[in-house]
């Protein structure tokens, strides 16, 4: 089935098997920052923004996403660069496997205007990180969100 | 310009934060084939027949390998599978989706056998045997002894006995294991999500009869490991063999559910203990048996032994006898998990200290004070020599720095308002660093340096830390040093990142390489300058003349001077011993048994801290893993040997919402190790210290509701708390 | 990796019903947050997936005298609902990503015994509006969930939406092992309190039986009396007595029973 995806502003038209997960299609399109860490939609490593909301791209069929506007951790704009800078200074990434999911989720939170540390924590709760213990990630996001 | 000691952000982050870091699943080679495994649904079964006739007819399927295919396809050794998830066959297909359809078409006939899942059952004389050739399920049994424990127990005022059970942990690195292998007719290259590319190379070369020089193992970016990727796994050999035979690139990446069964588990030690103490709180003897629930194959050598030998911890205990027993069961093989034996030893001895304190009616701080080792170096009762430190001072300063007394007072105040807070702490000494490590350093024509390390970082930030120590040694800007790792084409052999050894063993190797390279260049500089030069900040000078490193290197290439531009250092490291005090604060909901970790604090003497930013990162991440061991995680099997907690939805790796706030301190006057870097290692400290600190905190909170309750297992789940409080 | 299926995207309710009633091995695909994980783990497979995600008739949310929630309303859309009770439920479901896609209708139809919406809707006394080959039906929520993963939906029939009144007072208390995991147990209370007396209360629980159930004895106890500490305590006790909780690796029946009692107490305390 032919579908269209706008990823980080770039339009892709691809022919996909209906059973193909969005995460696999994105990775095949070269968006390797979108990672797979589980098979139960738990880990959040595959999180992308789809039509303005964070979703787990391993839990969406590519055909469902037909026509969607998608942003991945490859994206660059002022907010994303600020997040990158803050992640670096706060040492918010270790092995880096969760980092794309953290960045996309954080991007959503900052854009939405999170108002408190609790909101940041709840907002990030769908992305598991095994390395950092989370504090540095939470602090990086708080900083960019002006909290 | 000194870099060591400064909180320098990581150089690795450029790639990671742009999503450009290449993990094994990101390795793409034209013509890639995908491998997958048929795995046993049974915990224990004879494999009667594996039938590929259907699967080989499936379009898109390229090959299948099974027990009949001979070495190195060691599927179902001895004709049986010994744990749920053990591989019985491998299928190779052109597409990942086709592959998973195909896997269902492999017909396997099993004859289920009774499974043995619990060490107590496994030790019974009539127990089913995991490995018939052993005659029983005990695969390892060794006694560690020192002093005269029997007499000491007899002479003790009190003898305290108990049992503490540590659960099975699923390491759950966020990246599941995976392998890509490609053979171009000349060189066999293997990319693996591993901590040990050198071992992977050796094992694959051996299995295929290839010279080491034609096998190259690459460790790409690795999404966490925590000890679960430090063995060479059969899949690495199998995928490499398939690529070699099919002369095509082959990729296998485990699904999470597959990884939970096919990647080693950790912890799973039980201690039965009997200790003797004097009335004034001195521990006179520690005796007991450590049992390891080793799983189906004895891959976790030394886990029970490390726990036994480190059982005395930071305490001066002169008599001891601890048996280390490993018992086979029909579960995923046990191996290292962050700390590998030391977290267990620490949890055991800290629980023993609390138990004895309770029996004697003594304060938990006081009993530790009375038993801490006063003089270092110190040889413990099992013959392990702790190198440097001042435990009594660090203990007192640590407790003060962490605000132990104030927090206890605060908890009392809160209790008056009906809020139940528990405060706990732990003390640990850890053994780190063993074996050798290799560094290769090359001076480049432009004055920059290339360092190849045999370390295998997977999140620790070693490219940054190594650049720091080498930059200091060479007195040059860090930016002039590029660190490469994880490729057997760069370095002949080495061990890798594990056991908190990296900056000490590998960093010291790098420092030595830098020193030698400086000496090499100095010789050449002397020839060029005609006098014996001094070296400062990248420049050799004497007699009013000077020559920069870049000029030196160019001179060597032009034949104007002679020097080795690439030097290798192989550093053999003796163990070293970090020490610390950690503290945990939890809040208890007595009606439900739910426990929320509020605060976690650490105070460590880990010798020289190369990069406090990275070291603190290790502490916080390690702490959450130990907290999770205390409160959340457990591999649960049902009575048939089916892994119930078979994926991340059922296995409780904590989210951001479960994490406490952390405060990380390092000793103001650390005791360096004797290694060139002066470091002792920080990767596991908090994983070791956090579980006992949290358990003490939970017990402390629970005792506000019900005095005298004692926790004798991990994890302590809300239901466990609730039961104990009833 | 998901087994093969035929994918049919529909744009209207009649079209959806038509395909679903014609194809025996067809299932609707809404948010996919329960269906796709099952397909990935290969514990479920269907010949046809009918993607109802673009059916406009199922995407409405109206707050009037009654609240009308279309089947395709996503969990997150209720996180900031003017109806406080709905907010309290929505924010406790899964994580933000799951709430971005998961739908209320899908939750009801899926009838996961540990799903939040079925219990919440039970407390609300919602009417489930369905659409099927034989036309539209209205099924009282009490008759809708028939068992674990079983509902009153007939072949080819869809949940079209839900209708209920936003309760004057309501509370949702959920206990989970990990942040917003599926519940060990949860209690939903909808009630009206007039002049200090409970005029009516509907109390539903999950993790109290093999499906979401109403705690009738608790409701009876509350009716017409003031919400005193004593009443709350006896309601909590009654809940424990009334429940037949399931046991699994997450919790024993006994512990669930105890939690349920606490949940009832806390939910009533929050009214
Ligand atoms: C990580 C994770 C955590 C979660 N945590 C929670 C939680 O804490 N609490 C909770 O309640 N849920 C939780 N869920 C499940 C989530 O809420 C789902 O969204 C919900 O259960 C199903 O809604 P859906 O729209 O995604 O349905 P789908 O997955 O699309 O469908 C589910 C089932 O319902 C059928 N169906 C869907 N829509 C209709 C309809 N309109 N009419 C008839 N049949 C229909 C489908 O055929 C399928 O059988 C979690 C899910 C994940 C992945
Ligand atoms: S891969 Fe784990 S949530 Fe998508
Ligand atoms: S940095 Fe490794 S999982 Fe988050």
């Amino acid at each position: 089935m032919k579908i269209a995806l706008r990823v980080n502003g770039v339009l892709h038209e691809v022919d996909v098997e209906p059973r193909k997960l969005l995460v696999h299609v994105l990775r095949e399109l070269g968006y390797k920052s979108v990672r797979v860490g589980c098979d139960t939609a738990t880990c959040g490593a595959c999180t992308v923004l789809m039509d303005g909301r964070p979703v787990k791209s391993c839990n969406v069929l590519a055909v469902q996403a037909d026509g969607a506007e998608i942003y991945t951790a490859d994206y660059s704009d002022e907010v994303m660069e600020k997040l990158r800078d803050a992640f670096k200074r706060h040492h918010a990434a270790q092995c880096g496997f969760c980092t794309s999911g953290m960045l996309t989720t954080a991007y959503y939170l900052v854009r939405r205007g999170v108002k408190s540390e609790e909101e940041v924590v709840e907002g990030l709760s769908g992305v598991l990180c095994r390395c950092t213990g989370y504090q540095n990630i939470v602090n990086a996001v708080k900083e960019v969100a002006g909290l | 310009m000194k870099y060591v000691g400064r909180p320098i952000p990581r150089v690795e982050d450029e790639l990671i934060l742009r999503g450009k870091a290449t993990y094994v699943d990101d390795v793409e080679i034209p013509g890639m084939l995908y491998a997958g495994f048929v795995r046993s649904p049974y915990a224990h079964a004879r494999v009667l027949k594996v039938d590929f006739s259907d699967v080989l007819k499936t379009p898109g399927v390229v090959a299948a390998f099974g027990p009949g295919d001979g070495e190195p396809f060691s599927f179902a050794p001895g004709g049986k599978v010994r744990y749920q998830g053990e591989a019985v066959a491998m299928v190779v297909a052109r597409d990942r989706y086709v592959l998973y359809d195909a896997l269902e078409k492999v017909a396997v006939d099993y004859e289920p056998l009774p499974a043995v899942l619990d060490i107590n059952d496994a030790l019974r004389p009539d127990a089913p045997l995991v490995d018939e050739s052993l005659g029983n399920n005990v695969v390892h049994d060794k006694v560690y002894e020192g002093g005269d424990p029997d007499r000491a127990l007899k002479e003790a005022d009190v003898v305290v006995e108990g049992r503490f059970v540590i659960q099975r942990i699923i390491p759950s690195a966020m990246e599941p294991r995976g392998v890509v292998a490609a053979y171009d007719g000349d060189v066999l290259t293997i990319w693996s999500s591993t901590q040990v590319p050198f071992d992977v190379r050796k094992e694959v070369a051996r299995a295929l009869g290839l010279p080491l020089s034609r096998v190259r193992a690459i460790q790409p970016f690795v999404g966490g490991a925590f000890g679960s990727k430090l063995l060479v796994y059969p899949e690495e050999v199998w995928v490499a063999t398939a690529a070699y035979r099919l002369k095509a690139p082959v990729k296998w990446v485990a699904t999470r559910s597959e990884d939970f069964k096919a990647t080693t588990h950790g912890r799973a030690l039980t201690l039965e203990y009997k200790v003797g103490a004097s009335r004034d709180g001195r521990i006179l003897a520690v005796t007991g048996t450590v049992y390891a629930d080793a799983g189906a194959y004895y891959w976790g050598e030394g886990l029970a032994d490390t726990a036994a030998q480190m059982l005395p911890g930071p305490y001066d205990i002169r008599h001891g006898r601890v048996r280390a027993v490993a018992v086979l069961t029909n579960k995923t093989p046990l191996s290292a998990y962050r700390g590998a034996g030391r977290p267990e030893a620490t949890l055991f001895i800290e629980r023993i200290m609390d138990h004895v304190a309770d029996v004697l009616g003594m304060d938990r701080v006081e009993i530790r004070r009375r038993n801490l080792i006063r003089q270092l170096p110190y040889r413990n009762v099992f013959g392990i020599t702790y190198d440097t430190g001042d435990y009594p001072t660090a203990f007192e300063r640590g407790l003060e720095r962490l605000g132990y007394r104030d927090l206890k007072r605060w908890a009392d105040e809160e209790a008056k308002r009906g809020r139940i807070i528990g405060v706990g702490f732990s003390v640990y000494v850890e053994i780190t660093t063993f074996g050798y490590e290799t560094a290769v350093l090359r001076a480049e024509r432009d004055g920059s340096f290339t360092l190849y390390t045999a370390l295998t970082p997977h999140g620790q930030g070693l490219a940054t830390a190594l650049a720091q120590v080498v930059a200091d040694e060479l007195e040059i800007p860090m930016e002039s040093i590029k660190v490469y790792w994880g490729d057997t084409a760069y370095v002949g052999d080495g061990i890798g990142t594990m056991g908190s050894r990296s900056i000490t063993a590998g960093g010291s190797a790098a420092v030595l390489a830098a020193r030698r390279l400086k000496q090499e260049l100095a010789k050449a500089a002397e020839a060029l300058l005609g006098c014996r030069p001094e070296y400062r900040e990248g420049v050799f000078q004497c007699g009013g003349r000077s020559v920069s490193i870049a000029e030196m290197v160019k001179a060597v290439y032009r034949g104007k001077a002679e020097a080795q531009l690439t030097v290798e250092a192989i550093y053999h490291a003796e163990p070293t011993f970090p020490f610390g005090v950690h503290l945990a604060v939890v809040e208890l909901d007595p009606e439900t048994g739910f426990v929320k970790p509020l605060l976690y604090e650490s105070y460590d003497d880990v010798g020289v801290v190369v990069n406090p930013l990275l070291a603190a990162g290790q502490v916080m991440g390690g702490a959450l893993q130990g907290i999770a061991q205390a409160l959340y995680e457990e591999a649960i099997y049902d009575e048939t040997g089916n892994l119930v907690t078979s994926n991340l939805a059922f296995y409780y790796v904590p989210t951001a919402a479960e994490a406490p706030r952390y405060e990380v301190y390092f000793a103001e006057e650390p005791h360096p190790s004797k290694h060139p870097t002066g470091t002792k290692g920080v990767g596991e400290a908090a994983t070791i210290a956090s579980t006992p600190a949290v358990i003490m905190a939970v017990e402390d909170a629970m005792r506000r509701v019900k005095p005298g309750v004692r926790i004798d297992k991990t994890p302590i789940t809300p239901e466990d708390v609730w039961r104990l409080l009833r | 990796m998901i087994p093969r299926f035929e994918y049919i995207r529909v744009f209207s309710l009649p079209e959806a019903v038509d395909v679903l009633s014609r194809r025996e091995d067809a299932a609707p695909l809404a948010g996919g947050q329960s269906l796709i994980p099952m397909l990935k783990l290969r514990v479920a497979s269907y010949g046809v997936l009918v993607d109802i995600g673009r059916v406009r008739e199922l995407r409405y949310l109206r707050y009037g005298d009654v609240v009308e929630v279309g089947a395709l309303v996503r969990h997150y859309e209720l996180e900031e609902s003017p109806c406080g009770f709905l907010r309290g439920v929505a924010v406790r479901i899964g994580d933000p990503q799951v709430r971005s896609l998961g739908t209320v209708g899908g939750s009801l139809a899926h009838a996961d015994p540990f799903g939040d919406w079925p219990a919440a809707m039970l407390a609300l006394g919602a009417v489930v509006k369905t659409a099927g080959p034989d036309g539209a039906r209205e099924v009282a929520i009490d008759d809708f969930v028939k068992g674990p993963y079983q509902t009153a939906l007939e072949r080819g029939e869809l949940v079209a939406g839900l209708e209920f009144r936003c309760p004057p007072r309501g509370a949702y208390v959920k206990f989970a092992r990990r942040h917003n995991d599926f519940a060990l147990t949860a209690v939903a209370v909808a009630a009206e309190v007039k002049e200090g007396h409970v005029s009516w209360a509907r109390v539903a629980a999950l993790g109290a039986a093999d499906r979401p159930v109403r705690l009738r004895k608790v409701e009876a106890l509350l009716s017409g009396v003031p919400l005193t500490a004593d009443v709350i305590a006896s309601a909590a006790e009654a809940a424990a007595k009334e429940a037949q909780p399931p046991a699994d690796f997450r919790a024993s029946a006994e512990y669930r029973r105890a939690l349920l009692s606490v949940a009832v107490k806390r939910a009533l305390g929050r009214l």
Side-chain angles (χ1 to χ4, degrees):
Chain A
M1 184 174 172
K2 268 225 161 36
I3 61 164
L5 302 170
R6 191 176 288 279
V7 188
N8 302 331
V10 179
L11 186 67
H12 296 272
E13 290 185 32
V14 279
D15 200 1
V16 300
E17 229 192 315
R19 61 167 164 170
K20 203 135 195 183
L21 297 168
L22 177 60
V23 66
H24 290 136
V25 171
L26 289 172
R27 287 179 57 80
E28 280 165 23
L29 286 172
Y31 301 98
K32 297 267 184 196
S33 71
V34 191
R35 308 197 184 284
V36 178
C38 74
D39 42 12
T40 48
T42 318
C43 77
C46 62
T47 302
V48 300
L49 300 193
M50 186 166 105
D51 296 331
R53 292 276 314 177
V55 304
K56 291 170 175 171
S57 63
C58 74
N59 221 25
V60 182
L61 300 176
V63 288
Q64 281 178 290
D66 188 6
E69 180 122 24
I70 287 164
Y71 289 93
T72 71
D74 307 78
Y75 185 62
S76 181
D77 69 358
E78 201 190 329
V79 169
M80 198 56 116
E81 291 308 322
K82 275 190 183 158
L83 279 167
R84 288 202 174 99
D85 181 57
F87 267 54
K88 179 162 180 174
R89 281 182 291 99
H90 286 271
H91 183 31
Q94 289 190 25
C95 79
F97 205 75
C98 71
T99 306
S100 304
M102 289 292 181
L103 280 172
T104 47
T105 312
Y107 183 86
Y108 164 76
L109 292 172
V110 170
R111 282 277 180 208
R112 200 194 66 188
V114 268
K115 289 182 224 48
S116 65
E117 173 161 336
E118 291 68 46
E119 278 185 33
V120 173
V121 168
E122 147 66 26
L124 295 174
S125 68
V127 191
L128 294 179
C129 175
R130 191 56 154 168
C131 300
T132 63
Y134 299 105
Q135 180 159 289
N136 287 349
I137 301 172
V138 171
N139 285 345
V141 179
K142 275 171 65 183
E143 183 191 293
V144 179
L147 295 170
Chain B
M1 176 182 37
K2 237 176 104 57
Y3 290 104
V4 168
R6 281 166 50 193
I8 297 166
R10 300 197 312 177
V11 299
E12 293 88 334
D13 285 2
E14 276 315 306
L15 288 178
I16 285 179
L17 295 172
R18 298 197 174 276
K20 299 272 182 275
T22 301
Y23 300 83
V24 69
D25 200 9
D26 306 334
V27 174
E28 292 297 354
I29 302 170
M32 188 79 89
L33 303 177
Y34 296 86
F37 297 92
V38 177
R39 296 183 180 275
S40 170
Y42 298 104
H44 197 191
R46 232 165 264 302
V47 177
L48 303 178
K49 194 171 157 212
V50 178
D51 184 353
F52 291 132
S53 45
D54 258 9
V55 77
L56 289 173
K57 278 185 254 159
T58 307
V61 169
V62 175
F65 303 96
D69 286 285
E71 287 299 319
F73 289 112
S74 51
F75 296 111
K80 65 175 199 171
V81 283
R82 297 153 206 230
Y83 63 98
Q84 188 191 50
E86 183 167 359
V88 291
M90 174 179 176
V91 175
V92 183
R94 296 201 187 282
D95 172 280
R96 235 187 260 231
Y97 282 72
V98 169
L99 171 70
Y100 282 85
D101 296 341
L103 287 173
E104 287 184 345
K105 295 189 184 158
V106 178
V108 185
D109 279 353
Y110 297 96
E111 177 195 323
L113 298 170
V116 57
L117 299 158
D118 175 275
I119 51 172
N120 296 316
D121 294 339
L123 289 171
R124 294 215 175 92
D126 57 345
L129 296 181
V130 178
D131 180 349
E132 284 82 2
S133 70
L134 289 176
N136 61 38
N137 289 317
V138 176
V139 67
H140 175 78
D141 191 343
K142 186 166 175 185
V143 177
Y144 296 89
E145 188 165 354
D148 188 345
D150 295 321
R151 212 185 71 199
L153 280 179
K154 225 172 274 157
E155 289 172 359
D157 296 324
V158 291
V159 171
V160 176
E161 286 180 71
R163 178 182 156 94
F164 195 93
V165 181
I166 298 175
Q167 80 273 41
R168 245 176 195 261
I169 290 281
I170 301 179
S172 311
M174 277 303 121
E175 181 201 28
R177 284 195 301 116
V179 188
V180 172
Y183 182 56
D184 59 8
D186 186 25
V187 174
L188 176 60
T189 307
I190 304 128
W191 291 260
S192 182
S193 179
T194 181
Q195 296 170 260
V196 289
F198 297 98
D199 292 348
V200 169
R201 175 165 82 143
K202 281 176 272 191
E203 198 53 38
V204 168
R206 196 193 54 74
L208 295 175
L210 292 171
L212 281 174
S213 51
R214 286 186 186 276
V215 180
R216 178 180 182 190
I218 297 174
Q219 179 211 29
F221 272 81
V222 169
F226 314 110
S228 71
K229 298 174 182 173
L230 60 68
L231 298 172
V232 180
Y233 282 90
E235 291 92 347
E236 291 169 308
V237 177
W238 296 335
V239 171
T241 305
Y244 182 65
R245 295 216 186 142
L246 299 170
K247 291 206 172 38
V250 179
K251 179 187 280 189
W252 166 70
V253 176
T255 67
R256 174 58 59 186
S257 304
E258 181 181 19
D259 198 61
F260 263 26
K261 291 170 187 162
T263 294
T264 53
H265 295 172
R267 303 284 184 269
L269 300 187
T270 294
L271 174 72
E272 284 170 0
Y273 60 89
K274 188 170 180 181
V275 300
S278 65
R279 214 171 300 288
D280 64 355
R282 289 273 305 152
I283 308 289
L284 304 175
V286 56
T287 65
T289 304
V290 179
Y291 295 95
D293 170 5
Y297 295 94
Y298 187 44
W299 293 351
E301 284 181 35
L303 294 173
D305 300 71
T306 304
Q309 288 173 282
M310 287 305 290
L311 188 60
Y315 306 112
D316 180 19
I317 303 173
R318 297 315 320 154
H319 306 281
R321 182 193 307 115
V322 182
R323 222 178 117 197
V325 179
V327 184
L328 294 182
T329 53
N330 292 113
K331 300 189 214 166
T332 291
L334 195 69
S335 180
Y337 173 62
R338 204 169 188 172
R342 294 103 87 208
E344 296 90 325
T346 304
L347 180 53
F348 288 148
I349 192 65
E350 288 299 274
R351 289 278 73 205
I352 288 173
M353 297 310 279
D354 291 349
H355 195 171
V356 174
D358 285 349
V359 170
L360 295 172
M362 188 175 278
D363 178 72
R364 291 179 166 192
V365 171
E366 190 54 34
I367 192 162
R368 286 169 171 82
R369 197 174 271 149
R370 290 188 188 182
N371 285 285
L372 275 179
I373 292 163
R374 310 211 152 262
Q375 269 290 319
L376 285 121
Y378 173 92
R379 198 177 135 90
N380 91 358
V381 66
F382 301 127
I384 293 182
T385 302
Y386 307 165
D387 56 347
T388 59
D390 175 354
Y391 298 172
T393 306
F395 177 62
E396 303 297 341
R397 282 205 189 149
L399 283 181
E400 198 178 307
R401 192 69 198 256
L402 305 183
Y404 176 66
R405 298 274 166 220
D406 294 341
L407 285 165
K408 289 285 270 185
R409 264 195 297 277
W410 172 71
D412 288 341
E413 288 302 310
E414 290 298 306
K416 289 179 198 150
R417 285 180 216 117
R419 197 174 162 211
I420 300 179
I421 305 287
V423 184
F425 68 92
S426 70
V427 190
Y428 76 92
V429 60
E430 175 196 2
I431 178 170
T432 78
T433 314
F434 58 91
Y436 66 98
E437 205 51 281
T438 313
V440 174
L441 185 63
R442 187 167 79 207
E444 307 286 1
R445 294 181 72 99
D446 59 356
S448 69
F449 290 83
T450 307
L451 177 73
Y452 300 105
T453 178
L455 294 173
T456 53
H458 41 282
Q460 295 81 357
L462 289 164
T464 307
L466 289 174
Q468 286 178 261
V469 297
V470 172
D472 278 359
E473 187 61 37
L474 294 175
E475 303 169 43
I476 55 169
M478 252 181 90
E479 295 70 33
S480 310
I481 300 159
K482 168 66 192 167
V483 180
Y484 291 86
W485 72 86
D487 190 336
T488 64
Y490 300 152
V491 183
D493 206 358
I495 293 179
T497 292
M498 62 187 78
S500 301
R501 66 191 295 277
S502 291
I503 199 60
T504 309
S508 293
V511 169
L512 290 188
R515 266 179 214 165
R516 277 185 211 154
L517 188 51
K518 237 171 15 185
Q519 283 162 11
E520 275 297 320
L521 293 172
K523 271 193 303 187
E526 189 171 349
L528 275 183
L529 297 170
C531 49
R532 174 159 295 215
E534 297 257 302
Y535 176 82
R536 273 195 59 201
E537 300 185 1
V539 180
F540 290 98
Q541 47 191 321
C542 57
R545 294 195 300 144
S546 68
V547 55
S548 72
I549 288 185
E551 288 162 341
M552 283 293 324
V553 174
K554 281 183 206 142
V556 172
Y557 279 118
R558 284 196 210 105
K560 299 235 162 68
E562 238 180 273
Q564 281 184 34
L565 297 178
T566 302
V567 302
E568 178 169 39
I570 298 172
Y571 182 70
H572 285 264
E574 290 295 311
T576 177
F577 294 79
F579 173 89
V581 190
H582 287 210
L583 178 149
V585 180
V586 302
E587 179 166 2
L588 167 69
D589 177 344
E591 285 184 319
T592 60
F594 275 76
V595 170
K596 164 103 182 95
L598 300 178
L599 173 66
Y600 192 85
E601 298 187 294
S602 62
Y603 180 88
D604 293 294
D605 180 352
V606 293
V608 172
V609 176
V610 170
N611 185 327
L613 184 65
L614 303 189
Q618 290 298 306
V619 170
M620 292 188 278
L624 190 58
Q625 288 183 336
I627 292 168
Q629 184 194 324
L631 300 176
Y632 305 112
E633 297 179 20
E634 180 170 24
I636 299 173
Y637 284 86
D638 70 14
E639 60 288 351
T640 67
N642 169 51
L643 180 65
V644 176
T645 52
S646 60
N647 57 51
L648 276 171
F650 297 157
Y651 183 84
Y652 295 123
V653 170
T655 73
E658 277 77 43
R661 186 164 65 78
Y662 310 83
E663 284 182 22
V664 178
Y665 303 99
F666 294 104
E668 300 81 354
E669 294 156 33
H671 295 78
S673 70
K674 301 195 175 80
H675 300 290
T677 50
T679 53
K680 289 185 163 184
V682 69
E684 292 155 311
T687 320
I688 290 170
S690 54
T691 314
V694 171
I695 290 295
M696 194 204 278
V698 175
E699 201 174 80
D700 182 54
M702 288 169 71
R703 286 182 176 192
R704 289 183 183 273
V705 181
K706 185 170 171 184
V709 288
R710 179 171 11 262
I711 298 170
D712 61 2
K713 68 178 272 273
T714 54
I716 175 103
T717 65
E719 178 159 355
D720 293 329
V721 172
W722 172 78
R723 275 184 199 288
L724 283 169
L725 290 181
R726 277 210 304 175
Chain C
M1 254 43 50
I2 293 181
R4 267 199 193 91
F5 56 82
E6 187 185 337
Y7 175 79
I8 299 176
R9 187 185 287 161
V10 293
F11 295 91
S12 75
L13 198 48
E15 197 188 345
V17 169
D18 178 54
V19 181
L20 284 165
S21 47
R22 273 193 295 110
R23 300 290 295 262
E24 201 161 327
D25 54 352
L29 171 66
Q33 298 304 290
S34 293
L35 191 50
I36 294 177
M38 293 192 303
L39 296 173
K40 279 193 292 193
L41 294 174
R42 293 185 168 244
V43 295
S45 74
Y46 296 95
V48 186
L49 286 189
V50 182
D51 185 351
I52 58 170
R54 293 166 205 242
V55 174
R56 287 202 176 273
E57 297 107 293
L58 300 178
R59 177 155 285 165
Y60 57 86
L61 179 57
R62 291 187 281 269
Y63 292 98
D65 235 14
V66 286
V67 183
E68 296 168 77
V69 179
L72 285 183
V73 168
R74 317 249 189 214
H75 306 325
Y76 83 87
E77 294 177 71
L78 300 174
E79 278 176 46
E80 281 163 23
S81 166
C83 176
F85 176 84
L86 295 180
R87 285 202 301 273
V89 180
V91 298
R92 295 304 316 271
I93 298 174
D95 51 50
Q97 293 94 315
V98 168
R99 301 200 290 267
S100 292
L101 293 176
T103 66
V104 179
S107 289
L108 261 290
H110 189 48
D112 185 323
F114 293 102
D116 293 298
W117 284 124
M121 291 298 164
L122 204 50
L124 291 173
V127 170
V128 184
K129 306 186 78 167
T130 72
D134 302 327
R137 287 199 294 153
E138 297 199 343
V139 185
I141 183 74
D142 296 76
D143 303 324
F144 184 76
V145 178
K146 295 284 188 199
Y149 307 102
Q150 278 163 18
T151 67
L153 287 177
E154 314 250 327
R155 221 189 102 195
E157 209 174 22
L158 281 164
V159 172
L162 292 133
E163 273 184 29
F164 50 85
R165 283 174 196 279
C166 182
R169 301 204 192 188
Y172 191 67
V173 172
K174 169 174 171 176
F175 293 122
R177 275 298 302 279
R178 180 167 58 184
H179 181 72
N180 290 5
D181 186 16
F182 282 96
L184 297 171
T185 181
V187 167
V189 182
E192 187 169 43
V193 183
K194 272 194 187 146
E195 288 155 21
H197 286 62
V198 179
S199 38
W200 58 265
R202 287 179 62 107
V203 182
L206 61 90
D210 67 350
R211 70 196 76 175
V213 287
R214 277 174 69 186
L215 302 176
R216 306 241 180 211
K217 299 218 170 87
V218 175
E219 291 178 3
L221 239 153
L222 295 171
S223 161
V225 300
L227 262 185
T228 62
D230 280 351
V231 167
I232 291 178
S234 43
E237 209 174 301
K241 283 214 188 96
E242 192 174 352
Q244 294 296 328
D248 57 26
F249 79 96
R250 287 187 165 102
S252 68
E254 216 184 345
Y255 178 54
R256 278 212 169 85
R257 193 185 303 276
L259 284 182
L260 193 69
S261 194
V262 178
V264 165
K265 183 171 104 179
R266 292 188 187 172
L268 293 177
R270 275 186 216 166
L271 283 184

